[in-house]
């Protein structure tokens, strides 16, 4: 079973160490929903098993 992680950053021009984890789950629907929210972050990204699926949302 895959693990999904949503990371967020408050910087418009982010560096690799700017990303902070927001959610880790095995539910792809929940991960996708959270990745598309915008509250509190400038960019969000979605990872599946450590690989970036959506780089900037």
């Amino acid at each position: 079973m895959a693990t999904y992680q949503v990371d967020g950053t408050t910087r418009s021009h982010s560096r690799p160490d700017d990303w902070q984890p927001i959610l880790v789950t095995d539910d792809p629907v929940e991960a996708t929903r959270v990745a598309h929210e915008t509250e509190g972050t400038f960019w969000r990204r979605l990872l599946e098993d450590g690989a970036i699926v959506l780089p900037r949302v």
Side-chain angles (χ1 to χ4, degrees), residues 37-52:
E37 291 178 354
T38 58
E39 186 174 336
T41 59
F42 193 90
W43 291 110
R44 291 192 180 193
R45 69 182 179 186
L46 176 63
L47 295 88
E48 179 180 356
D49 289 336
I52 297 174

Side-chain angles (χ1 to χ4, degrees), residues 6-27:
V6 179
D7 294 340
T9 182
T10 56
R11 297 180 181 257
S12 60
H13 299 288
S14 60
R15 297 176 304 208
D17 60 339
D18 291 333
W19 295 93
Q20 300 297 317
I22 296 172
L23 173 73
V24 177
T25 182
D26 60 356
D27 182 355

